[in-house]
Amino acid sequence: NNNNNNKPNSWVSPDWLTSLTRSLTITKDDDSGIPVANAKLDDVSELLGGALFLPLFKWMNEYGPIYRLAAGPRNFVVVSDPAIAKHVLRNYGKYGKGLVSEVSEFLFGSGVAIAEGPLWTTRRRAVVPSLHRKYLSVMVDRVFCKCAQRLVEKLKPDAVGGIAVNMEEKFSQLTLDVIGLSVFNYNFDSLNADSPVIDAVYTALKEAEARSTDLLPYWKINALCKIIPRQIKAENAVTVIRRTVEELVAKCKEMVEAEGERIDEEEYVNDADPSILRFLLASREEVSSVQLRDDLLSMLVAGHETTGSVLTWTLYLLSKNSTSLVKAQEEIDRVLQGRPPTYEDIKDLKFLTRCIIESLRLYPHPPVLIRRAQGADMLPGAYKVNSGQDIMISVYNIHRSSQVWERAEEFLPERFDLEGPVPNETNTDFRFIPFGGGPRKCVGDQFALLEAIVALAIFLQHLNFELVPDQTISMTTGATIHTTNGLYMKLSQRQTKSAFVPLASR
Ligand code: HEM
């Protein structure tokens, strides 16, 4: 039941699909200077199948780095150009989150990921300090390493028995366990058990994904939400998750108050409970329990499937590129000498880091960022947008455009200098934006990179893997890029080259 490949069935009927296609093209030209994409029936089927970013890529090659797309009642300007993306992302005051808030409000409430205006400013200021350096180093030792080691132990019998394992599912379980412990010190233990809370998290995540590709937002109509089975299921799931988080907040609040705990240094970590929740409560900010619940849910959702998908696609890319795999494993053996990584080791795992960065370039999560213009504006290149215009920044297109990258479609970790800085939006001038950019950039970018490096270092240290033959690995999407049918690998145990210490004896 943790299989995240089962997208909810679309309720959209074929008749509706046909009528939609008729309304797909904008016939009236406008004075914006933005070319209009002319979508065909095949493209619409692809849109409804959920892999929206694939036709967007095709149209970039046809219409250029900015074009307009009308889909039923919606009309988007699609951007595949770093300079325009930079303009939109940096000018948060002029561009709000728009549609993203609409599709995920049922889950995030007023959480930091979708809040706007002064509420967002206050909550962002409260949340960011919790992800400080000392917190991250504690997470590496106490959560990232432990959870990855548990995964390897769990996989060993499959490795011995030669059983094919769906690694996408395993990585999704791993990252759920990590984010639960890190954000609110809650052990989902999804690697080992099923629980109603885990089911609820997956149901809610799938619903958010489905909503992001539903062209007709029928879930906005309250009465329909009470009778459509998918909506009833989603509402029940959100109730379970919210209740669980509310209980965690209440329990933690009691402890903080009983102990009179108060943050007394910038890099504060409570030794017994180093979670973000504890930090936020000990900081004694004036914040309601509901707001806190929604902020924590924002982080749970934003940090779970994203990091899981990075692990999935990096493993896939390494399985197809044996030279890079050997290089990564040699680096891991040399730097770690058979032990688990520490926070200090991570800066030395330079090649592995570039493999993850290159994977984020080819498979960015989410592949498309959405904004809505708050007023009329002029985009770089003299393109006019009107107030209320929905904009899609296709990160996938920018990352795979031959105008932006040489040999754009190839996996080449070496393209990033090992001795140079780790690429980000600033040092690539928005050519590489897997964590977005500007004021609403991801707050968990360092967390996610550390988590991915640790998980892969431990996995590659102890296991060899091979793609099960005759699998077609294709992409589908919602909030992140998923495989369509899972990523099945045959695993085998690997003896590290130096000072091998069995996990159990550490
Ligand atoms: C926002 C990507 C992991 C928390 C974002 C955005 C992107 C992103 C692209 C900006 C969205 C936009 O501009 O519309 C990723 C990727 C991750 C990852 C690729 C993993 C590899 C995490 C983790 C956390 C997190 C681990 C929490 C610990 C957030 C939050 C926001 C956000 C709270 C909203 C920030 C705001 O609106 O002010 N993420 N993220 N993310 N991310 Fe991440």
Side-chain angles (χ1 to χ4, degrees), residues 1 6 107 124 132 244 251 335 344 376 428-429 432 476 491:
N1 58 348
N6 297 332
L107 177 60
R124 172 118 187 165
H132 54 74
T244 309
K251 251 191 242 158
V335 174
E344 284 307 312
T428 62
D429 205 15
F432 179 68
T476 179
L491 309 174

Side-chain angles (χ1 to χ4, degrees), residues 97 120 124 302-303 306 310 365 371 434-436 440 442-443 447-448:
K97 285 238 166 175
W120 169 75
R124 172 118 187 165
T306 43
V310 174
H365 315 282
R371 292 292 187 271
F435 296 106
R440 298 217 64 154
C442 180
V443 300
F447 179 112

Side-chain angles (χ1 to χ4, degrees), residues 89 97 100 112-115 120 124 127 131 135 179 182-183 276 295 298-308 310 360 363-366 368-371 395 433-437 439-445 447-449 451-452:
L89 292 176
K97 285 238 166 175
V100 177
V112 62
I114 58 165
W120 169 75
R124 172 118 187 165
V127 164
L131 289 135
Y135 165 78
I179 203 80
S182 315
V183 170
I276 290 178
D295 290 338
S298 282
M299 280 188 267
L300 171 78
V301 174
H304 167 222
E305 283 299 333
T306 43
T307 320
V310 174
L360 269 166
Y363 300 94
H365 315 282
V368 169
L369 299 178
I370 291 178
R371 292 292 187 271
V395 181
I433 50 169
F435 296 106
R440 298 217 64 154
K441 185 186 165 173
C442 180
V443 300
D445 58 340
F447 179 112
L449 282 177
E451 180 187 350

